[in-house]
Amino acid sequence: MNKIYIISGPAGVGKSTTTKGLAEQFDQSAYIEGDLINHMVVGGYLPPWKSDESLSLVWDNIADLSINFVQANKNVIIDYVAFPEEVERFSQKIYAAVQHVEIIYVVLWVDLDELLRRDALRKKESQMGARCLELANEFKIKVKDKRFFYNTTHLKPSDLEETFLNIRENPSFKY
C-alpha cells in the first residue's frame, strides 16, 4: 500500500531537510514542495495565509498531483505548512479517488528558541523571522491532537535516519 506523508510545521523547523531525506528512503517516491505549487501563480499572486482562495488552489493541486503519483505506484512526500483543516479536506479528496493509500501527518516541532536559531541559519532571503513564531502559535492552537507532533529540538543532523524511521513506523502519525 502506498503512503502519502504530509510533513508540516512552522517555517524553519526542518521540513525540507526531512521531506527530501524521507523521499530518498523509498524505491518509488515523489516529492511535492507546496511552496513551488504556490509560486506557480504569477499574475494575481496572494500569499496563502492572506487568501483562502490561494490556499485552496494550492491544496487542490497538491491533491491532484498526489493522486496521480499514487496511481503510478509512488509514495508521496509533501513538504508544506498544513493545518488539520487542510489535511482533512485533502484526505477526503484523496480517499474519494484512491482506494489503497494511507495518509501520514507529521507536525515537526522544536522549542521556540531553537526555531529562531534555525531560521537565522537559513539564507537571508529565506528567513521568516517573526512569521516562524506566528506559525508556531497557530500550530499550538489548531492541532488539537498532539499525537501528530514530532519534537526534533534535541536531534542532530546525524539523527535523521532515526527521524525517517520514526515517521515511517510510528502508527500515531496515521491520519
Side-chain angles (χ1 to χ4, degrees), residues 25-44:
Q25 300 292 303
F26 299 97
D27 291 332
Q28 298 288 319
S29 65
Y31 168 73
I32 299 174
E33 187 176 347
D35 286 338
L36 287 178
I37 305 295
N38 176 46
H39 292 293
M40 287 179 166
V41 173
V42 179

Side-chain angles (χ1 to χ4, degrees), residues 35-96:
D35 286 338
L36 287 178
I37 305 295
N38 176 46
H39 292 293
M40 287 179 166
V41 173
V42 179
Y45 174 79
L46 289 171
W49 61 90
K50 291 185 177 180
S51 167
D52 289 341
E53 184 179 296
S54 292
L55 184 61
S56 181
L57 180 61
V58 170
W59 277 107
D60 284 344
N61 282 299
I62 291 173
D64 290 340
L65 283 169
S66 297
I67 290 165
N68 293 339
F69 286 129
V70 168
Q71 289 173 339
N73 200 33
K74 309 284 186 220
N75 290 294
V76 177
I77 297 83
I78 299 167
D79 170 358
Y80 200 51
V81 172
F83 294 105
E85 60 268 22
E86 287 109 24
V87 175
E88 180 60 31
R89 189 169 158 253
F90 170 88
S91 298
Q92 289 173 3
K93 187 169 185 177
I94 296 298
Y95 290 137

